[in-house]
Amino acid sequence: RRAAVVVGLDQYVDQVRHLLRPGTQVRTSGLGDEELRAADAVAQAAAGNAVALLGSGDVGVYAMASPALLQAGEDVEVVGVPGVTAALAAAALLGAPLGHDHVSISLSDLHTPWPVIERRIMAAAAADLVTCFYNPRSKARDWQLGTALDLLRKHRSPQTPVGAVRQAGRPGERIWWAPIADFDPADVDMLTTVIVGSSTTTVVAGRMVTRRGYRWSEDVPNMIE
Amino acid sequence: RRAAVVVGLDQYVDQVRHLLRPGTQVRTSGLGDEELRAADAVAQAAAGNAVALLGSGDVGVYAMASPALLQAGEDVEVVGVPGVTAALAAAALLGAPLGHDHVSISLSDLHTPWPVIERRIMAAAAADLVTCFYNPRSKARDWQLGTALDLLRKHRSPQTPVGAVRQAGRPGERIWWAPIADFDPADVDMLTTVIVGSSTTTVVAGRMVTRRGYRWSEDVPNMIE
């Protein structure tokens, strides 16, 4: 709120516009202008302005902090404000699927070549990691999630729960899960986060839960977050 | 704040005690009593009370939500409140190391056999995932982090940055990083979170940044969190 200049995606700025002080300079742009927006924020900061670069979720996770920090020099002071990233928001709605080791993988192969993504999915499958997919499916990218689930099916029991949350915490929120044998990628779009359980993830009273450890009898202090 | 009963680790309850309404029943216990605390929270809820089960960070990540949800039946309504987990808090202080695919692995081998943990570290190393270590080192567990870094060194350049944050957001906070060739595990304790970069993580103006993708020229809308 102390920022003199706010830079962000138009739809995100609209969500906080009522919080801005009168006189705040607002510089919005649309989807696809990420690098330009980052450059703009850095230039405004280098010129001596207090700049807020907005993101939804956590700005450091698949978002604007990386491109901005790659361009910001020593002369720009940066304060990162951590947020609740999509994986955590979705997880809380599903139960506690991230209770033990977990990985976040973006299925967008526009930035990253598919073989790199596939290698990461196979590693997650083999190492029995709870797997959270960002950017799971869009109109143009309609086969990646199905392929990813096929890779995981080779290493997980057919009963492994797969949870999905669309529009977490926003109007139109939808929460569902299905065994990996039955989960239908067609229900998923780019506003959805998908979490695939590990071998220790179960559904208890309708909630998706990953045990905190493989052995449960001896409890340990520093296991607590 | 609407809870009639608050259940939590004594030191966490102390941090929010000033927020509680007069008359709130507070049930604290110490480290190591996780299962008892979870059972207590569920029993209080099943008895019809509005119960708040407290954690620091995100209660769903290596924390109390899992043991509680494993015990809670259909008769207990549960609302998960997502928080800022240690990985996100540390990442924001370091820069933007979680800008692309990343994994969280607990190095505590008291819950999980070391071979399982090692398999996960090797998977993270081979798949070039940014790797965040929870419970990296304690007085009793002093060799695991060194071994983990050795496994990662086989797959990463010696310049790969390793960042660490102790007591993120609390008094005595300390933030540091070093190339993986030089990072000293002895500086780390159980109040520290350690983040090892991937092949695309660099230090720019003193900040640890992972690029949002392997190819940077074509930008894509749904890459945004």
Side-chain angles (χ1 to χ4, degrees), chain B residues 119-201:
Chain B
R119 189 156 57 100
R120 291 174 173 174
I121 299 165
M122 289 192 290
D128 195 26
L129 292 160
V130 172
T131 304
C132 181
F133 290 123
Y134 278 72
N135 306 311
R137 192 167 181 272
S138 68
K139 278 179 193 165
R141 295 183 301 97
D142 61 355
W143 57 266
Q144 287 83 350
L145 179 59
T147 302
L149 291 173
D150 285 343
L151 291 169
L152 286 162
R153 281 187 190 107
K154 291 182 191 163
H155 292 264
R156 308 264 157 112
S157 115
Q159 281 77 47
T160 304
V162 178
V165 178
R166 186 174 189 274
Q167 292 279 51
R170 295 191 184 139
E173 175 181 278
R174 184 184 161 215
I175 305 159
W176 73 102
W177 71 272
I180 195 168
D182 305 326
F183 188 88
D184 186 358
D187 292 338
V188 169
D189 66 9
M190 65 179 266
L191 301 174
T192 308
T193 304
V194 176
I195 300 180
V196 182
S198 70
S199 68
T200 62
T201 307

Side-chain angles (χ1 to χ4, degrees), chain A:
Chain A
R1 291 197 198 188
R2 270 170 296 174
V5 180
V6 171
V7 180
L9 186 68
D10 37 21
Q11 67 198 64
Y12 297 156
V13 172
D14 286 344
Q15 287 177 30
V16 296
R17 205 176 283 271
H18 60 287
L19 298 171
L20 304 178
R21 285 182 315 176
T24 304
Q25 189 190 149
V26 177
R27 301 169 73 91
T28 61
S29 41
L31 283 168
D33 292 332
E34 281 70 43
E35 272 189 286
L36 285 175
R37 205 149 59 231
D40 187 29
V42 171
Q44 290 289 327
N49 293 308
V51 177
L53 178 61
L54 294 186
S56 76
D58 186 302
V59 76
V61 178
Y62 301 113
M64 291 299 298
S66 307
L69 291 182
L70 287 171
Q71 298 180 53
E74 305 270 4
D75 56 328
V76 177
E77 187 197 342
V78 177
V79 179
V81 181
V84 173
T85 187
L88 297 180
L93 293 165
L94 288 164
L98 306 182
H100 208 265
D101 301 339
H102 53 274
V103 61
S104 289
I105 299 174
S106 167
L107 293 186
S108 171
D109 57 352
L110 294 160
H111 270 309
T112 307
W114 180 253
V116 172
I117 300 174
E118 196 170 70
R119 188 156 58 98
R120 290 175 173 174
I121 299 165
M122 289 190 291
D128 196 26
L129 292 160
V130 173
T131 304
C132 181
F133 291 123
Y134 278 71
N135 306 312
R137 191 167 182 270
S138 68
K139 278 179 193 167
R141 294 183 302 96
D142 61 355
W143 57 267
Q144 286 83 349
L145 179 60
T147 302
L149 291 173
D150 285 342
L151 291 170
L152 285 162
R153 281 187 191 109
K154 290 182 190 161
H155 292 263
R156 308 265 157 111
S157 113
Q159 282 74 47
T160 305
V162 178
V165 178
R166 186 173 189 275
Q167 291 280 51
R170 296 192 182 139
E173 175 181 278
R174 184 184 161 214
I175 305 158
W176 73 103
W177 72 272
I180 194 167
D182 306 326
F183 188 88
D184 186 357
D187 291 337
V188 169
D189 66 9
M190 64 178 269
L191 301 174
T192 307
T193 304
V194 175
I195 300 179
V196 182
S198 71
S199 68
T200 62
T201 306
T202 49
V203 173
V204 180
R207 296 179 281 253
M208 197 172 156
V209 188
T210 304
R211 284 167 197 280
R212 277 179 32 181
Y214 274 62
R215 291 194 297 244
W216 210 190
S217 52
E218 13 171 15
D219 225 327
V220 16
N222 57 3
M223 198 63 195
I224 298 164
E225 144 115 313

